[in-house]
Amino acid sequence: MTVFSGSWRRRGALITIATAGALGVGLSAAPAMAHTPVWTVSCSEVSVDLTSYGNSDKNTVNITVDGKDLLPTKSFKNEFHQKLDLPEHTSEVSVRLVVKAADGDQYSKDETKTAPVCDTPGTPPPASDSPKPTPSETATTEAPTPTEEPSSSSDVLPTSKPSPAGDDLAETGSSSATPIIAGAAAVVLVAGAGIMWASRKRRTAQH
């Protein structure tokens, strides 16, 4: 009985030691795993949230912008929450966060982020790549001007319609019988002149 009881005591002691060691490791690792550094950077501000850093007042935080202090080194216990406005800038700036944990440098944080430039209200939009209309194109879009009426009758173009009278020429009073009448008149004049000449000659012979 003594042998068995001693054996069980030794086993119980080993189990107790192992359990205590496991709990000790777990408790020592828990705070380390709980460190939560969260921070964001926008064009105008920096937001920092540090949690579960323990109750030591040796935890410190520092923020710089292009090497200049935005938040001078500050001590905190367990938690730190703050929002900081960035100075106005016309180009990107580098924002650096340095957190030193009191329980070891392996839990510290040193990180740099870039803050972009904020859009300025009222900035004109970029020029469009579409080509501008040429003066000739602009002229074609304007309303057409009314055409002017001809100033005189000579400007009116002749029509192709035939006149009501047709192609016949207007009558002038002459006809195809005119040459015949003129010839007859000439014969009568010649005959009359011959008769007068003959009668004069006969009178001269009688005297």
Side-chain angles (χ1 to χ4, degrees):
M1 295 293 294
T2 304
V3 175
F4 285 106
S5 61
S7 176
W8 280 107
R9 286 177 183 176
R10 285 193 297 271
R11 291 179 180 177
L14 292 173
I15 292 172
T16 302
I17 294 171
T19 302
L23 290 174
V25 172
L27 291 174
S28 62
M33 296 299 293
H35 291 71
T36 309
V38 177
W39 72 301
T40 58
V41 176
S42 67
C43 69
S44 60
E45 68 177 15
V46 180
S47 177
V48 182
D49 294 289
L50 308 174
T51 58
S52 302
Y53 273 80
N55 292 324
S56 175
D57 59 357
K58 293 183 179 180
N59 299 309
T60 61
V61 57
N62 171 252
I63 300 175
T64 58
V65 177
D66 283 347
K68 297 180 180 179
D69 281 338
L70 181 65
L71 175 67
T73 302
K74 187 175 183 179
S75 300
F76 67 96
K77 287 185 178 181
N78 195 36
E79 294 186 2
F80 179 83
H81 306 280
Q82 192 165 354
K83 288 185 178 181
L84 303 169
D85 293 332
L86 288 172
E88 294 183 0
H89 50 281
T90 57
S91 60
E92 295 181 348
V93 294
S94 296
V95 182
R96 182 184 179 189
L97 170 71
V98 179
V99 179
K100 291 185 178 181
D103 53 352
D105 291 340
Q106 67 271 25
Y107 308 120
S108 299
K109 188 177 186 66
D110 188 342
E111 189 175 7
T112 301
K113 294 184 179 181
T114 300
V117 180
C118 295
D119 294 334
T120 304
T123 302
S128 175
D129 294 334
S130 58
K132 295 182 179 180
T134 59
S136 59
E137 293 177 351
T138 306
T140 55
T141 58
E142 296 178 355
T145 56
T147 56
E148 298 181 355
E149 295 182 356
S151 57
S152 63
S153 60
S154 61
D155 295 335
V156 181
L157 296 176
T159 61
S160 59
K161 293 182 180 180
S163 60
D167 296 334
D168 296 337
L169 298 175
E171 294 182 1
T172 58
S174 61
S175 64
S176 58
T178 300
I180 299 174
I181 295 174
V187 171
V188 171
L189 290 175
V190 172
I195 293 171
M196 289 180 63
W197 178 77
S199 61
R200 285 181 181 179
K201 188 177 181 180
R202 189 177 297 171
R203 289 176 184 175
T204 304
Q206 289 178 357
H207 290 292

